[in-house]
Amino acid sequence: MEDMRAIDYMKDGKGRLVPMSMVKPIDQARDVLVHDLVRKARAMRDDLKRFRADVFAEVGAFVDLSAGEFGVSLGGKKGNITLYSFDGSLKVQLAVADHLVFDERLQAAQALIGECVEEWSQGSRDEIKALISAAFQTDKEGKINTGRVLSLRRIDIKDERWQRAMVAIGESLTVVGSKSYIRFYERVGDSDQYVAIPLDVAAV
């Protein structure tokens, strides 16, 4: 990093060039410190990216090696996997989370559910009505929480319209992508509890 003190001006937040003589020493020192720490943070980020790629490659190679003992070749993207150390004190977990969205058939399900709720409004339990109402609420970006909608399928209601709505919900669900995560854990003493080894600097 070029030391800002070696030149005769500094750029301010509006892009203006300010003579060094007009910048307080403490502001100059703060600027140098922030640039230095961010440079180190970027280097650590790049190291973590390389480490993540290495971990996925090594876990994938091990899974293929293990499957090879049974004459199976897996190939492709690996699914959810947990590997334990021999003594069980450590584990490495690879998780694949699908990104789910609903298509236009969700509106049909919502209409059918609306018919049910309107008809049952006098006798249905308040908890069910609140659950249904919350399920279709959108967030600030206008997106519906898939977990809340799918939770409706756990409600055992025999009404034919409700059953059709549940089918519509299931058929409207589409996987549009997935993201893989790698996590590391160590066992707490001799218990069966594990704690994550944080790689997020904010969580250390």
Side-chain angles (χ1 to χ4, degrees):
M1 182 195 73
E2 183 180 13
D3 192 335
M4 299 299 287
R5 293 168 295 188
I7 55 180
D8 58 3
Y9 64 86
M10 293 176 66
K11 186 180 292 185
D12 69 7
K14 295 183 178 179
R16 298 173 299 197
L17 300 180
V18 181
M20 292 288 290
S21 60
M22 296 179 62
V23 181
K24 294 179 180 180
I26 191 65
D27 292 332
Q28 296 181 37
R30 184 187 305 109
D31 184 74
V32 170
L33 174 64
V34 170
H35 276 84
D36 188 51
L37 293 177
V38 170
R39 176 184 59 78
K40 292 176 180 177
R42 286 171 174 161
M44 185 173 293
R45 175 200 59 193
D46 293 340
D47 286 343
L48 282 173
K49 283 183 177 179
R50 286 189 289 270
F51 172 67
R52 184 178 187 275
D54 289 345
V55 169
F56 276 104
E58 291 181 29
V59 169
F62 175 77
V63 171
D64 286 338
L65 175 66
S66 182
E69 293 192 351
F70 298 94
V72 178
S73 178
L74 298 177
K77 193 172 184 179
K78 305 301 184 290
N80 296 319
I81 298 165
T82 302
L83 304 176
Y84 290 87
S85 62
F86 190 67
D87 65 357
S89 65
L90 304 171
K91 69 177 179 178
V92 176
Q93 190 173 69
L94 188 154
V96 179
D98 290 331
H99 178 50
L100 306 172
V101 297
F102 295 104
D103 63 25
E104 75 288 345
R105 285 172 287 189
L106 184 65
Q107 295 179 6
Q110 190 171 0
L112 288 167
I113 292 171
E115 290 179 13
C116 294
V117 172
E118 184 175 352
E119 184 176 309
W120 305 336
S121 58
Q122 299 302 317
S124 60
R125 293 170 54 186
D126 289 339
E127 304 96 289
I128 293 180
K129 288 190 287 187
L131 179 61
I132 293 171
S133 176
F136 292 100
Q137 289 180 353
T138 58
D139 61 18
K140 293 179 180 179
E141 298 178 352
K143 296 179 181 178
I144 288 178
N145 185 297
T146 54
R148 285 202 298 258
V149 173
L150 293 176
S151 70
L152 296 177
R153 300 200 296 179
R154 294 197 294 267
I155 303 175
D156 186 20
I157 296 176
K158 303 303 182 185
D159 189 292
E160 184 267 341
R161 291 167 300 178
W162 180 272
Q163 295 295 324
R164 282 194 287 137
M166 297 305 103
V167 171
I169 287 175
E171 292 183 352
S172 71
L173 201 58
T174 304
V175 178
V176 295
S178 63
K179 188 171 183 178
S180 297
Y181 301 87
I182 194 80
R183 298 182 178 93
F184 304 88
Y185 297 87
E186 52 190 353
R187 192 169 60 196
V188 179
D190 294 326
S191 71
D192 59 355
Q193 301 298 312
Y194 288 82
V195 293
I197 299 173
L199 294 178
D200 179 355
V201 67
V204 175

